[in-house]
Amino acid sequence: MPVMHFRVRLPDSTELNCYSPSLVIKDFLTPGTRYPMADFMSRSREALNIASERVRAKYGYACSSAMDQLAELEAHAQRFANLPDAQVEVLGFEE
């Protein structure tokens, strides 16, 4: 499976290099776009779950790295839960 990394900037200007075991992330996020935190997390959850299931279909087990990435994003999102205007900018993809 093709691995994809996607780079994002959090509301505090922290940049993260994130992992997806599938190119499906490209169907959910667009480089140069800012997403409200809730929308970004919804898109990330769906994409990373699909990616993990693709690994399961191919290898017989879910992708723990995709789930670890999602857990990391969830933890970061919690830091901004009290900021209703928090946005995440997608900086780009690396294949």
Side-chain angles (χ1 to χ4, degrees):
M1 297 194 94
V3 169
M4 167 69 63
H5 287 90
F6 56 105
R7 191 148 187 83
V8 299
R9 182 178 294 128
L10 300 176
D12 66 356
S13 297
T14 299
E15 293 185 10
L16 302 175
N17 191 33
C18 303
Y19 170 84
S20 172
S22 166
L23 302 180
V24 71
I25 197 75
K26 287 182 164 184
D27 295 338
F28 290 86
L29 300 174
T30 302
T33 302
R34 291 178 179 259
Y35 297 93
M37 181 62 77
D39 185 28
F40 172 78
M41 289 308 303
S42 176
R43 291 167 180 269
S44 296
R45 276 184 211 104
E46 188 170 358
L48 290 170
N49 278 302
I50 290 169
S52 181
E53 288 305 310
R54 287 184 178 178
V55 170
R56 182 188 310 278
K58 185 167 184 173
Y59 298 107
Y61 53 85
C63 181
S64 61
S65 294
M67 295 300 92
D68 290 347
Q69 181 62 72
L70 181 56
E72 179 185 354
L73 290 173
E74 297 280 6
H76 283 291
Q78 283 300 312
R79 293 180 27 227
F80 304 104
N82 63 340
L83 300 174
D85 297 330
Q87 294 189 343
V88 177
E89 181 179 4
V90 177
L91 301 174
F93 296 123
E94 298 172 19
E95 292 183 48

